[in-house]
Amino acid sequence: MKKVIFIALFAVSLFSHDLTHKVTEQKAVVLSFSFGSSEDFSYQPYEVFAPGEKIPFAVGRTDKLSRVVFVPDRAGIWLIKVISEDGHGKEVEVKVGEDFEIKEYSKTNFEKFQKIFVGIALIFAIFIFLQYFIKRRER
Amino acid sequence: MHIPDGFISPITYIPAYAASAGLWYIASKKVEIDSQNISFLATLSALSFVFMMIAIPLPGGTSAHLSGISLLALIFGPWLSFVAASLVLVVEALIFGEGGITTLGINILAIAFIGSFSSYYVYKVLKKRNETLAIFLAGWVGVNLSAIFIAFILGIQPIIASIEGKPLFFPFDIKTTTLAIMIPHMLIGLVEGAVTVILYRFLKKNFKVMFDER
């Protein structure tokens, strides 16, 4: 009897080391990286830092589609670092809201100023047309 | 400062469109520009566009932007400045959604017309006393008179467009809009005045040809 009880207790302790799992749907933050052409940034190392943390919340490699995907557990500014072996890399800050929605994220200089670039180009284009018509009239 | 769509009643924006169209017609008769000056006008119009797209944060969490219209008015005169600034506002509204389509006429009247003419005449009246002060005040007054007009147009909406006391468009009264708009613009006017002085002096020193022909 003692043997049976011992084996039963041992079996319970075995169960306690079984890795359980569950599958849920959650809001994830997805960052896609590229070099702006067909060159991708797949399978490159990344680190994700929670707001104010020095130890990474997640580490891994970008997926086949050059993405970093993580599920934040708190609001604040999350830092994502991607670094490739050939020296390319980037740090992106993502501000996550109370409902885990993306409030804002650090944009590239082109994204920040593209409105201004396009606007300046348009205004100059209009004036170039104007100059063409005035020159024709002056002739 | 640009008023977006949905804030203003048709009873306000339709006459504003008509007034703007009338002013554009008068401008087309009055404005004369030779092809040599177009590059300068294009550059300063582009600068005005850039100024209008950059929001400067102000105490209290609000922001405002410069316009560069006083500089256009002082160098090219009020009518040409009006045309160039209108063009900038049309590009902003149609391409970038900065300011509404229905409210374009009001924005043109406030920013391009009032901004250009008030800046020009302030400068003209005061330049003999003290030119630097005249340029500075041209910038400050241009921004603030435009802002007063915007505050007025927004503030009268509850009076002229409401059903049983419920506003159909912009809901805040004129006292609220005046305070909310004028306090930031009185501050931004100081920056506009300073920038106008610096750029006017710089251009007069380095691009004398722009001033010689006037």
Side-chain angles (χ1 to χ4, degrees), chain B residues 51 77 89 108 113 142 156 182 210:
Chain B
F51 280 164
L89 291 169
I108 285 174
F113 183 72
I156 60 169
M182 290 317 297
M210 290 167 73

Side-chain angles (χ1 to χ4, degrees), chain B:
Chain B
M1 192 162 25
H2 307 50
I3 305 177
D5 284 321
F7 280 28
I8 303 294
S9 56
I11 200 169
T12 319
Y13 67 67
I14 291 171
Y17 255 113
S20 296
L23 289 168
W24 264 71
Y25 178 75
I26 296 167
S28 71
K29 298 285 173 195
K30 282 186 175 281
V31 162
E32 278 184 24
I33 184 162
D34 54 52
S35 56
Q36 284 183 334
N37 275 335
I38 284 216
S39 55
F40 290 119
L41 185 63
T43 306
L44 289 187
S45 302
L47 185 69
S48 170
F49 171 82
V50 172
F51 280 164
M52 287 193 212
M53 297 296 275
I54 299 171
I56 299 171
L58 291 169
T62 58
S63 68
H65 59 76
L66 303 176
S67 72
I69 287 169
S70 47
L71 191 66
L72 276 167
L74 267 50
I75 294 174
F76 295 104
W79 282 109
L80 202 48
S81 168
F82 165 68
V83 171
S86 300
L87 195 71
V88 170
L89 291 169
V90 168
V91 168
E92 285 185 337
L94 296 184
I95 311 292
F96 301 108
E98 297 282 338
I101 306 288
T102 56
T103 54
L104 186 57
I106 294 167
N107 289 330
I108 285 174
L109 286 181
I111 300 169
F113 183 72
I114 295 176
S116 297
F117 277 81
S118 60
S119 296
Y120 179 77
Y121 283 106
V122 165
Y123 172 71
K124 205 175 174 186
V125 169
L126 296 175
K127 74 173 177 184
K128 281 179 185 164
R129 290 189 176 188
N130 183 331
E131 197 187 31
T132 303
L133 184 68
I135 300 167
F136 178 83
L137 285 177
W140 192 87
V141 170
V143 164
N144 280 281
L145 282 187
S146 300
I148 285 175
F149 184 75
I150 296 275
F152 172 75
I153 292 291
L154 286 169
I156 60 169
Q157 294 312 302
I159 302 166
I160 61 172
S162 57
I163 292 176
E164 295 167 0
K166 195 180 171 195
L168 295 172
F169 296 92
F170 196 72
F172 300 107
D173 62 16
I174 204 159
K175 193 181 164 190
T176 312
T177 57
T178 306
L179 282 173
I181 292 173
M182 290 317 297
I183 291 171
H185 283 89
M186 283 166 86
L187 294 171
I188 207 75
L190 300 175
V191 184
E192 178 88 24
V195 168
T196 308
V197 171
I198 293 164
L199 288 178
Y200 187 88
R201 292 274 181 238
F202 173 80
L203 293 171
K204 201 167 184 178
K205 190 179 168 190
N206 296 287
F207 297 91
K208 221 166 174 290
V209 64
M210 290 167 73
F211 297 83
D212 287 348
E213 290 172 13
R214 246 154 283 280

